[in-house]
Amino acid sequence: MWERVVQDGRWALWLVCACYLVVVYITSRGLIGAPRYRLFQARVHDCRARAAILAATISTASVDSTDTTDSVAKSAVLKAINERLDGFGVGGQVVWRLLPQRAVIAIPLSKLAAAWRALHHAETQLLRLEDAEEIALRSLTLRLRLASDPDPVNNSLGTQLAAHAGDAPAERALLIAATEELHRQEDDDFEREYEHQRIALWLALTGIAAVLLLGLALDHRLSMLLGGLGGFLSPLIGVMRSQRPTSWGVLVLAPVGGALAAPGGLLLVRMLADPELNLLGQVFLHNSWGAPAQPISLAVALLFGFSGTLFSRLALAATGQLVPTAGRTSRPGPPSRP
């Protein structure tokens, strides 16, 4: 079976694309969504602990006080918060299980973003029920956090909190407002990140489809595989050289872009090596588009997959050869004498 796969380049290309698609899916749903989901679970447990402490405090206060109206209202709010927290554990609410044994999990990013917004709302509601001592402690913690924040807006929030320290009603209101603003910023940042990841995933899917179609239509399957290998090696070598970490979108799209750039680069090499242009010489004329299985052609395909700037520079050189020709053909000639 494996000999047939290796001998038939079409099946090898299909196998590589299918495996890469599985890797991209697992990466987007597991390696990226799982850490954020684990943090979400920890915050849910913290909210449950806070709600249990508040429930005990409210029940004790209702026994000692004759006015039970406020205790009943707080108990109703706590009940609604607990119901919301219990909803996060319902199957399919945040995590979709691929297997009944729960050996593999998938975390849709859209559901995770919505769950974080709901959790932040529950945390804000808990602040409305905390006693004055807990509010003062949380206000001090938030002021220390905002003091080192480079954002001037957040620094101004910390200044306002410090100005109303000791005034319980104003301090509580400012703490709730500052917490809601920080939660909104956090949710917006993560939703933008999730949107970028969804765009990268869509481009990867369409790129893989284009690779498969071109692999069926053209006899460049081996060069496309080497272009994809070059696209994978480019960010890998960058990380090994301790350069700036590459984003998830670049890591996913680099092999797909390399596979698509390989046959296009070979076609550009064949064009620039044509005797009428003669910019690259006879070596590339016989080792490019017309002979994709030659060692030089495969090496060129690997280079095009590795370096996106190489493809863009070669495309600019080809454009420079076409524009003057078009200008000469479209320019009217001098009028003939009668």
Side-chain angles (χ1 to χ4, degrees):
M1 176 181 177
W2 289 107
E3 294 180 357
R4 180 181 178 184
V5 170
V6 172
Q7 292 175 0
D8 192 349
R10 181 180 60 184
W11 288 107
L13 184 64
W14 276 90
L15 181 61
V16 170
C17 290
C19 293
Y20 187 72
L21 182 61
V22 172
V23 170
V24 169
Y25 180 83
I26 294 177
T27 301
S28 64
R29 298 299 180 93
L31 298 181
I32 294 178
R36 183 73 174 157
Y37 175 67
R38 299 305 179 193
L39 179 60
F40 173 80
Q41 284 183 316
R43 293 277 286 270
V44 170
H45 291 318
D46 292 341
C47 286
R48 290 184 184 277
R50 289 173 58 188
I53 295 173
L54 286 174
T57 304
I58 291 172
S59 62
T60 303
S62 63
V63 172
D64 298 338
S65 177
T66 56
D67 186 11
T68 60
T69 304
D70 184 58
S71 299
V72 172
K74 290 182 178 180
S75 298
V77 174
L78 271 180
K79 181 181 179 182
I81 293 174
N82 285 323
E83 290 177 354
R84 192 69 183 94
L85 295 176
D86 292 337
F88 294 139
V90 178
Q93 182 72 21
V94 181
V95 178
W96 172 53
R97 303 290 178 179
L98 294 179
L99 296 178
Q101 294 81 7
R102 299 185 177 183
V104 181
I105 63 172
I107 304 171
L109 299 181
S110 57
K111 288 186 176 181
L112 185 59
W116 268 105
R117 284 194 178 272
L119 178 61
H120 286 157
H121 179 71
E123 290 178 343
T124 304
Q125 293 299 320
L126 288 175
L127 288 177
R128 304 177 187 274
L129 306 178
E130 301 282 2
D131 56 13
E133 182 180 357
E134 184 68 21
I135 290 297
L137 178 61
R138 292 186 177 275
S139 177
L140 177 59
T141 303
L142 187 58
R143 291 203 306 270
L144 294 176
R145 172 188 169 186
L146 295 177
S148 59
D149 198 308
D151 192 348
V153 177
N154 294 339
N155 274 326
S156 64
L157 291 176
T159 304
Q160 294 180 25
L161 281 173
H164 292 82
D167 185 1
E171 190 174 19
R172 182 188 298 272
L174 285 173
L175 177 62
I176 292 174
T179 304
E180 288 181 346
E181 175 62 21
L182 293 176
H183 286 168
R184 184 193 63 80
Q185 295 177 9
E186 181 182 354
D187 292 334
D188 291 345
D189 291 341
F190 275 105
E191 286 181 0
R192 280 193 295 268
E193 180 182 351
Y194 295 156
E195 183 65 24
H196 294 161
Q197 293 173 6
R198 283 192 291 267
I199 293 173
L201 182 60
W202 182 85
L203 290 175
L205 293 176
T206 54
I208 290 175
V211 168
L212 292 175
L213 290 177
L214 290 176
L216 293 175
L218 304 176
D219 190 19
H220 285 263
R221 288 181 287 271
L222 187 56
S223 61
M224 295 176 74
L225 289 174
L226 286 176
L229 177 61
F232 173 77
L233 291 176
S234 178
L236 176 63
I237 293 177
V239 173
M240 292 176 62
R241 293 174 59 186
S242 300
Q243 295 179 353
R244 189 174 181 178
T246 309
S247 64
W248 182 86
V250 174
L251 292 175
V252 169
L253 294 177
V256 180
L260 294 175
L266 290 177
L267 183 60
L268 290 177
V269 168
R270 173 61 181 82
M271 169 188 168
L272 295 178
D274 191 89
E276 296 185 2
L277 297 178
N278 196 22
L279 294 179
L280 296 180
Q282 295 294 320
V283 175
F284 293 102
L285 177 64
H286 303 291
N287 294 275
S288 56
W289 179 262
Q294 296 297 322
I296 296 180
S297 299
L298 297 178
V300 171
L302 181 66
L303 290 178
F304 275 112
F306 182 83
S307 175
T309 57
L310 176 62
F311 181 86
S312 61
R313 290 178 179 178
L314 203 64
L316 290 175
T319 305
Q321 297 298 318
L322 292 177
V323 171
T325 303
R328 287 194 299 267
T329 56
S330 62
R331 187 183 300 115
S336 59
R337 294 182 179 179

